[in-house]
Amino acid sequence: MTTDEGQGSLRRMLRRFTASEAEIEAQQLQQESARCGGVPVTQCMRGQVVSVAGRLRTVVYTPRTNQPALEADLYDGSDVVTLVWLGRRHITGIEPGRHLTARGRVALRDDRKVIYNPYYELEPST
């Protein structure tokens, strides 16, 4: 092992000890997302068709005047994208804390990233 490698592993170890729980969780989510082939949400641009992976933070049914919608915030450790299923009140398995991979075209709504009616795969619950 060279001196640079030893210093690098020492820095990583010190970072683990001094990092907050939220920082460690974000780093783990980013690694899981990359393993699933997901694009970091921070790199997603409006109009791109992307695959994102992460954990659902919130799931909310939002009744609209003309059409119901189920909205879920997906966090991948870098940023949040809102997944919106139009015309749905409930989807089995879509619940806070669940890991999933979603594919779709990124849009912007109120300066927030949104994917409407995404294709999704639920990760096995642990």
Side-chain angles (χ1 to χ4, degrees):
M1 173 170 34
T2 65
T3 306
D4 291 338
E5 290 174 1
Q7 289 176 348
S9 61
L10 180 61
R11 281 190 198 126
R12 281 191 301 274
M13 186 174 63
L14 287 173
R15 194 175 313 130
R16 261 187 247 136
F17 287 128
T18 60
S20 70
E21 194 171 313
E23 291 171 329
I24 292 170
E25 178 189 15
Q27 188 176 37
Q28 289 172 342
L29 283 171
Q30 289 174 7
Q31 291 170 352
E32 288 175 27
S33 176
R35 191 184 75 244
C36 292
V39 175
V41 174
T42 56
Q43 294 178 9
C44 296
M45 305 297 276
R46 192 184 99 206
Q48 277 185 318
V49 176
V50 296
S51 177
V52 292
R55 180 182 304 138
L56 295 177
R57 280 187 162 175
T58 61
V59 178
V60 179
Y61 165 65
T62 54
R64 305 260 187 229
T65 55
N66 56 355
Q67 178 166 250
L70 184 67
E71 297 187 8
D73 285 342
L74 180 77
Y75 178 61
D76 74 342
S78 68
D79 201 1
V80 175
V81 63
T82 302
L83 308 176
V84 179
W85 289 272
L86 299 171
R88 302 296 298 263
R89 288 182 172 86
H90 175 75
I91 299 174
T92 303
I94 301 295
E95 54 197 30
R98 194 72 189 262
H99 288 265
L100 67 82
T101 301
R103 262 190 358 259
R105 186 173 305 274
V106 177
L108 290 178
R109 180 180 73 185
D110 301 328
D111 292 326
R112 295 189 63 205
K113 295 173 184 172
V114 178
I115 299 176
Y116 290 98
N117 295 320
Y119 295 100
Y120 65 93
E121 292 180 31
L122 294 170
E123 301 295 328
S125 53
T126 55

